[in-house]
Structures are given as C-alpha cells and as structure tokens.
C-alpha cells in the first residue's frame, strides 16, 4: 500500500483516487481550495502552493507525488523533487507547459507542427506574421487551457488589438490550421520504461472547451502508427512517467502536433468504461512502477462533457452501457462539472444511444457531428 | 447529490462508495471499528451500534441508510427507520437474517429447499433428525456466515456434541444436500419496483469461505428462468429494495434455496468489471430510486477471493483484463482482504489467463475446478 500525493484536487485527482483505491492505494490531495472536489473521496490538505511548511508535511506522508494540474508554480514542483519522488519529472512538465519548447521538441522527434515563431514584442509579432501568414493564432506560451490566452489574427490590422490583449508575457504565433479534425493520443509510460497507448480519440469543442470525444476513431493505419511512434519518442526524450495526451490536428492527410498535456486528459475519460484499464488506473500503475494495464478499447465509446451545469442524469442512466460522472462541483459558467460515457459494441448501436440521449438532453448539436463520423457521412 | 449512510464499513461499503462517487453521491459510514476500511474512501462515523446520540447525528446527515452488514442489532435498524429512510426495509432484513423464516418464505414463493425443522431443544433435535435423515446440518438461525455457526451431524451419536456446540440459541436442522454446485442469483429491485438480475454465478468454497465465482455459468434455460422468477417473487413479497443474493444448491437437476443475503454479495464482485453496471452501482441506484443499470455480462469472468492475506499482485496486474482489488485491510486468518477478477471474451481465453495466474500465485487448487467447468469437463 502506497500513499500517492496529488498536486491539485479537481476532477482528475478525484478520478485518479477512485481508480487507485481498488489497487489498495491511498491518496493525499494538495490544493489551495477548501472545497476541491477530490477531497470528497480522498484526504485533502488545503494550503497555498508556496506554503513550504505544509508541503513538507505533504511530502512526509506520501511515497510519490503527481499532478492533477500542471500549472503548479515551478518552485513548488522543484522543491518537491528534492523532498520526494515526483512523476512526471518537473523538467518534462516544464517543456509541456511552454508552447515554444513543446513545439520545438515536436520538431526534434519528427512530428510536424503548424509554422510557429516566438513573439516577445509587437515588432516580433509583425515579423512572425511574415513567417506564418494569416490567419494566425497568437497564444501565451504558458498557462493557457480551454482556449484561454489565445487571439486569432485575421488581418494585419489585428496586430495592435492582439498585442494589447496578450502582450507583456512570452507569446507564440502559430499559423492557423483549418484542420479537418482534432485527434488525441492518450499514452502512458511507466517508471520501468514500459509504454502503452490507447486507440486514437477524436475530439470536438464548443467555445474552446472539449464537448465530445469518440474512440476508437477510424484513422489510416500508417498515420496512427506514426502518431504513436512520435508520442513514444516524446515520452522517451523527456523520460516522462505517467499518462499524457498528445493533441494533433488532422489536416490535408497529415497529423500536426498541437500540444502535449502532461497528465491524464479529458479526451481520455472514455477509457474508464471503454477500455480494459482506464487512463487513471494506468497513471497510478505508471507512477508506482507497476505493470501497465490493457489499453485496448472495449467496443466504441463517446464521452460527452458537461460544462457549466449538469443536465438531468435520468436519460443517461436509463440507457444500457451509459455511465454518469458527476464531479461533485458546484455549477459555474465554463466549469467542467461532469461527463457521460456511452459505450456500444457497434457504431450502429452507439448511434441509436447517442440519438436518444441527445434528444432527451437537448444536446443534438453536440452529438450530431459524432453521429456523422460513426455513420461515415 | 445525496448522502447515503451505510451501516457497517467493510469492503462492501468501500465498494459501494467507490461505485456511487461517480454518480455524484457522498457516503457516510457508521461502524464500531475506528479502522473500518470504507473509511479510507468515505466519511466514517465510529460509534457503538446502540449509541443513539451518534445514530441521531448519522440520520441527520443522510438522505437514506443502507447496509454493508446485515447483522446490525434489530433495535438499531428499527430506530433508524423512524428517523430516516432505510433500504432494504428492516422487516425484509429480519426475514433474511433468520434461516427458519427465510426457508419458510422460500417455500411460500415456490422455491424448493432442503428438508428442514426448527430446533430449540435436544429433544427437538432428535425429532428433527427423523424428518431430515442423516447426514444433516445444524445451524444457528441467526448470525451465521462463512460457514460459522454450523455443525454437520453424520450419525445419531453426534447429537450431544452438536447440541453442546450450538445449543442455547434458536437453531434449524437441514437435510445435508450433496449438491453438484452452488449457484447464486444476484438481483436488484428499485424503490420504483423495477427488477433486474445478473446472469447466474457459480461459486466454490474453501474452509466454508467463498474462494471463486464464475459468471455467466451455463445452466439450463428453464432452470435459470425459474430461479430468477423465484428471486423476483421473494423481492416483491418482502418489498425489498436494493441488491440481494439468492444462494441455491444445484442438486439432481433441481435448484434448492439455501439462503438469501440481503445486500451486495461476494459472489457478485465480478460485476464490477464483468457487467455493464456493477452490483454496487445498481444498489446505489436502487436505494435512490434511479433507473437501474444494464446487468448483462461483458464476456465471461472469474473472481478469486483473497482470504487471510493478499498474494503478490504482479501476475494479476500483468494479465490483460485482470483487475485487482485490495480492500485496505490488515491481514488476519480467515479475513477477506481482497479479490481479483479476470475477464475474457471467450472461455478459452479465460482458461489461459486463469492457468497463468493460478500457476504464478500457487493457486492451482482454486482455479482447477473453475477451469474444468469452462472446459466442459
């Protein structure tokens, strides 16, 4: 029995604790919020990220530390590394936190990316546009998520407005990719170096926030093989330990690296019921150095995200092989408060279930594009 | 979001809390032991079963109470019923707790049983033997589990010894049934009256304690239909709400009622990974009046119980579709400390996995009879 410390106590920590408990492990969650939802299923230590007295107590009670939230202050992660084992290692975390370092590394392992350039001044922004062309997306290099910290430039006259909105912190300008689809590779690497990946997942967003994921997604076998090979190369290069998500744009028959999330990922939630061993259990296994679990899909699965507030669970609960996840968080606009996963043995069966759920919950817009892919339309 | 109170904080409460958390519900466990293992994943209130001040506080914090442990003092269950909603209802619990009432009810719903007779004196024991014949099993009417509180009489001269061992509390004598196999029906009835059942499970014991379960077990369709109809009739007769197990002896082409366990049951642990919706989640749904979940089996599954101490988890973790459950309890002879469930799409695949696990853990004796059934030997 080990006690695993988790920095951040949101729904990812909550699902890690629920997945690790059957293996006999205990979880101690560190969060600055008293009502962090993982505290409902694990022990919670509530303190400021820079309260080193409390971090000392945290480190003394755990065998290994990991993350629900990668934007922990760098000094906190570094302090912890000198007091306990931390997976993934803070150097890997730091690369994944910085869009410029991340994209540079993508290139080094042979993963194509949209054209990009570092931007630290309005002059550099103008120069960068020459390289990327327009439209282009200006992003903060650090601390962006769910579409936050981004500005789409469509014409040269947008430069001042973009700079006024985001300027003052390190930025990156990326060519706008009119991608066909967003795909993610959820993969895991263990302390022993063992590597596994789940089948590729296709993702849909609404207002910059993930709204639906489908897995396995039909992708050309060679493309899939290459995407997984790049994910593995990334993990090995970073000596990465744990689950991570590599987000890719599918564009013009190619996959382009968008970003790497150094943790269990929203687009992998379907693995709880849709794979033999979930991303959460595999993350626990990886950071403890246990054998990794089976990542094969069991049939096909769609995850629907609940953002802001939960819909009525009844239509989902009434559906065969549909699973409800309420994170125990209070509703708030833009907040991820839960999800549902709907599984089936065949695309046809999945389409029927999705149609019923979409209709009952008034979510036809979310399920329609997923149904189109399942029906090969 | 509801808070569900559970009387008893062992592994059943632990697995109920882990299954109910994704639905957004919270659990408050009441147990007389400070180290009750459900306390690792839910809030624990530690007090004596008859501490009505603490029970008052317990009742005030919950929407509904249920049981991990049916041998709660009757006065505790009755007190609770007048202070909160309690499922299953204490009257149903009380029938299931008493082997004489239970077997009488079995007869009333058309379920055959071994011949039995009430025994309250050594004279009645002698008279009962005339009815049951020998061998016969003398059992306490209440508080027996895992083979405790039982004495097998093989000859008339055993009467004194049997009486000296068990006499003084209400007893029942049952004809000894040289059964071919023990089968259980895990079923669930909701507050709305909705009824579902899992496929029949076959069970093996070692030293009176469940050692392995296999599901679905090949049973003649008509036998299965009748067993399920009897289980349903029992539940309706008792206005039972929640999951229960009906244990049956398969003997001479018939199924005989052995006992009813008024709670989630060890022989249903395979449903966590082997069915779409586990017995634990369905119990939570039932006591909250939510739609019941899909009870179909996903492939075939074998559960192996870990009694006394846990073996090395590595061979199980290394196997595809094998799942480890460590209850977080300290080892003690005869104590259930965990289980593993091994799933597969086909009996052949399951046999291979069982052979590897049995060999690696030195449990060939436990897996051999299961493999024989899977191989139709």
């Amino acid at each position: 029995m080990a006690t695993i410390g988790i920095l951040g106590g949101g729904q990812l920590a909550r699902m890690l604790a629920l997945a690790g408990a059957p293996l006999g492990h205990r979880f101690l969650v560190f969060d600055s919020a008293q009502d962090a939802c993982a505290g409902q299923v694990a022990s919670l230590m509530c303190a400021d990220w820079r309260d080193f007295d409390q971090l000392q107590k945290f480190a003394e009670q755990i065998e290994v530390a990991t993350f629900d939230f990668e934007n922990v202050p760098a000094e906190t992660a570094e302090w912890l590394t000198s007091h306990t084992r931390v997976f993934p290692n803070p150097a890997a975390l730091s690369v994944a936190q910085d869009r410029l370092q991340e994209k540079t590394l993508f290139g080094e392992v042979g993963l194509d990316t949209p054209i990009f350039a570092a931007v630290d001044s309005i002059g550099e922004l103008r120069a960068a546009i020459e390289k990327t062309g327009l439209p282009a997306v200006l992003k903060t290099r650090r601390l962006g998520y769910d579409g936050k910290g981004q500005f789409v430039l469509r014409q040269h006259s947008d430069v001042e407005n973009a700079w006024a909105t985001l300027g003052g912190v390190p930025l990156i300008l990326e060519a706008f990719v009119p991608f066909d689809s967003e795909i993610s590779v959820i993969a895991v690497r263990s302390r022993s170096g063992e590597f596994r990946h789940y089948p590729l997942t296709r993702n849909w967003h609404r207002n910059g926030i993930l709204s639906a994921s489908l897995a396995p997604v039909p992708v050309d076998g060679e493309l899939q093989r290459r995407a997984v090979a790049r994910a593995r190369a990334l993990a090995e290069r970073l000596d990465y330990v744990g689950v991570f998500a590599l987000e890719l744009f599918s564009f013009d028959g190619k996959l382009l690296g968008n970003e790497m999330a150094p943790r269990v990922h929203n687009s992998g939630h379907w693995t709880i019921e849709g794979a033999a061993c979930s991303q959460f259990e595999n993350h626990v296994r990886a950071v403890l150095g246990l054998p990794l679990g089976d990542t094969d899909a069991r049939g096909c699965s769609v995850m629907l995200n609940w953002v802001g507030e939960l819909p009525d669970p009844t239509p989902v609960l009434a559906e065969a092989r549909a699973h409800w996840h309420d994170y125990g968080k209070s509703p708030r606009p833009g907040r991820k408060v839960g999800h549902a996963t709907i599984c089936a043995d065949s695309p046809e069966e999945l389409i029927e279930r999705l149609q019923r759920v979409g209709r009952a919950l008034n979510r036809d817009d979310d399920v329609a594009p997923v149904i189109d892919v399942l029906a090969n339309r």
Side-chain angles (χ1 to χ4, degrees), chain A residues 86-154:
Chain A
V86 180
F87 299 110
N89 69 72
L93 211 63
S94 142
V95 171
Q97 278 173 5
D98 183 322
R99 294 183 192 279
L100 184 66
Q101 286 187 57
E102 187 181 61
K103 288 228 163 50
T104 305
L105 179 65
F106 286 177
E108 288 169 11
V109 301
L111 177 61
D112 291 334
T113 63
I115 298 166
F116 64 90
V119 169
D120 288 312
S121 68
I122 194 163
E124 283 179 11
L125 175 53
R126 290 205 174 91
I129 291 173
E130 298 307 306
K131 201 173 155 192
T132 61
L134 285 175
V137 191
L138 187 65
K139 300 178 177 178
T140 56
R141 280 172 54 181
R142 295 173 55 86
L143 300 176
Y145 66 97
D146 288 349
K148 290 173 193 167
Q150 302 197 7
F151 193 106
V152 180
L153 291 99
R154 303 194 182 276

